[in-house]
Amino acid sequence: MIEVEVENRSGIEVDAAGAVALARHALAQEGVAEAELGIAFVAPNEIRALKREHLGIDEVTDVLSFPLDGRERLPEGEPRALGDVVLCPEVVGDEWR
């Protein structure tokens, strides 16, 4: 099973259920059957700070990912810890306009 934990710190309404469904679908298409993934929706100032801290680039972006496990084989029944995806709905929204 693919476990997805969602946190909305963006201050605006998001379709969390849709994001979970999309993530599960994409992972299933990649052949990932057991995994853990975190999705965080954040405001522009938070994603800018994360990008500055982790990439040394001081600008707002739409999405950042923080992977944990690689693609190597895991023992049977052990879920893959994929890490976290951080999205800024305000910036993602701008990309689709």
Side-chain angles (χ1 to χ4, degrees):
M1 171 171 229
I2 298 172
E3 295 291 330
V4 182
E5 182 178 313
V6 178
E7 184 177 2
N8 184 7
R9 301 188 304 263
S10 70
I12 62 175
E13 187 176 333
V14 297
D15 181 4
V20 169
L22 179 60
R24 285 184 173 147
H25 176 75
L27 291 169
Q29 292 299 305
E30 289 295 317
V32 178
E34 294 186 50
E36 298 170 346
L37 174 69
I39 299 175
F41 294 97
V42 300
N45 61 336
E46 184 174 349
I47 204 159
R48 181 180 191 153
L50 286 167
K51 189 170 184 178
R52 182 177 51 244
E53 178 182 338
H54 294 279
L55 299 176
I57 301 170
D58 188 18
E59 66 183 19
V60 174
T61 192
D62 54 351
V63 63
L64 293 170
S65 63
F66 299 93
L68 291 177
D69 286 348
R71 299 281 303 195
E72 59 277 347
R73 277 187 141 346
L74 294 174
E76 184 71 30
E78 185 175 324
R80 184 169 298 282
L82 297 175
D84 296 314
V85 176
V86 181
L87 297 132
C88 180
E90 290 180 59
V91 177
V92 170
D94 291 343
E95 297 291 322
W96 292 94
R97 291 181 197 154

